Amino acid sequence: MKGSHRMTSLLASNGIPCISRTSHSGVHVKMLAAPINPADINMIQGTYALLPDLPAVGGNEGVGHVVEVGSHVTSLKPGDWVIPADAELGTWRTDAVFSEETLVKLPRDIPLLCAATLSVNPCTAYRMLADFETLGPGDSIIQNAANSGVGQAVIQIAAALGIKTINVIRDRPNLQEVVDRLTSLGADHVLTEEMLRKPEMKDLFKKVPKPRLALNCVGGKSATEMLRHIQQKGTMVTYGGMAKQPVTVPVSAFIFKDVKLRGFWMTQWKKDQTQNKDRLTGMILTLCDLIHKGQLTAPACTQVPLKDYRIALEASMKPFVSSKQVLTM
């Protein structure tokens, strides 16, 4: 179902539940903060690959604290901080009762915004850096949409691993401000889409090795240009399509460079771990360790009270917005 009916049926809720005596496995969670991600907007619009039955509550990410647990719950207790183990929980609300297996416990000393934005973008960045190429200190990767939430996490995680990043962004009025921010996060090189197409790129590769991994969130010409610069037998992973244009690959890239094209969807990865939740929690704890060390921070965020969710939704859809809208309860 698409359009305005879906928009009104899949938004925010402030209903306050209580655990019944028969809900032995229920966990009453009071939400603290929940961001608005592009996938949330696509879900509301009815264009995402995963659509909940209506009526539903929007939001696939966020952090809350446990208020009460059912008698059969063993891994959580009141006061614990939790995040969703998977999508479709509906985090844009004040309170909810979730089943124990749909939640992952977090250390309580994680900053609120880091916790609220942990389960989607940093996890996506971590998995793409870990699962497609064997990278080590001194290697390099290239990515477009480098100022996105995933892009910022890629920069920081790669820097912590000693991996060089070549970061591509669109030209914009506040270009230098964005370049400075990404550099402060640990970006080694920040380029515009136009610079990526210039012959001077060969000078860059005198300073840094050609990347073995390209991360594509844009598609269209941007993806094609990145492919030109990856190493022989390198891999390009596509995890988004902001340009709404297909990925076009020159035949020569397949024949003479033997490049590999892959896709990644964090939601599917989590579903694949249903019987191996330890792998998910292990990744979350690894990311929390980076946060503790000051090597991973939340993206720039604007906190908006839940009652003003319409303002936050509108702001999240404006072009060149570098600040993630986070609903606070």
Side-chain angles (χ1 to χ4, degrees), residues 1-13 44-45 54-58 309-310 313:
M1 189 177 296
K2 301 181 181 180
S4 60
H5 179 66
R6 184 166 195 94
M7 180 71 80
T8 56
S9 300
L10 178 57
L11 284 172
S13 168
I44 292 171
Q45 294 168 333
L54 299 180
V57 178
Y309 69 88
R310 291 182 183 274
L313 284 168

Side-chain angles (χ1 to χ4, degrees), residues 225-293:
E225 290 298 327
M226 285 203 305
L227 267 177
R228 291 179 53 229
H229 300 297
I230 67 173
Q231 282 187 29
Q232 191 90 4
K233 298 183 182 295
T235 301
M236 183 169 78
V237 181
T238 293
Y239 67 99
M242 292 169 57
K244 294 182 172 59
Q245 296 174 356
V247 174
T248 304
V249 185
V251 171
S252 59
F254 282 122
I255 297 175
F256 303 120
K257 296 183 73 173
D258 192 19
V259 298
K260 300 181 286 292
L261 302 185
R262 299 290 301 276
F264 183 76
W265 186 27
M266 192 68 227
T267 298
Q268 186 61 54
W269 186 91
K270 288 180 177 178
K271 289 185 182 301
D272 293 343
Q273 311 309 311
T274 302
Q275 304 303 318
N276 187 16
K277 194 175 178 182
D278 287 348
R279 195 172 183 213
L280 171 61
T281 55
M283 173 179 62
I284 294 296
L285 291 176
T286 296
L287 293 171
C288 287
D289 186 53
L290 292 177
I291 293 170
H292 284 138
K293 293 177 179 177

Side-chain angles (χ1 to χ4, degrees), residues 92-110:
W92 298 348
R93 52 175 136 191
T94 59
D95 295 75
V97 173
F98 301 118
S99 59
E100 181 180 11
E101 64 270 14
T102 64
L103 300 170
V104 176
K105 181 180 174 180
L106 283 189
R108 281 289 304 268
D109 57 355
I110 297 297

Side-chain angles (χ1 to χ4, degrees), residues 9 13 42 80 142 149 165 170 174 187 189 210 231:
S9 300
S13 168
N42 295 152
D80 285 344
I142 187 169
T165 57
R170 290 180 294 173
N174 64 332
H189 305 280
K210 283 203 167 188
Q231 282 187 29

Side-chain angles (χ1 to χ4, degrees), residues 28-33 63-67 93-96 329:
H28 176 189
V29 176
K30 177 173 174 52
M31 295 303 301
L32 300 174
V63 64
H65 79 257
V66 175
V67 176
R93 52 175 136 191
T94 59
D95 295 75
M329 294 69 172

Side-chain angles (χ1 to χ4, degrees), residues 9-21:
S9 300
L10 178 57
L11 284 172
S13 168
N14 62 359
I16 299 178
C18 63
I19 296 180
S20 71
R21 294 181 183 273

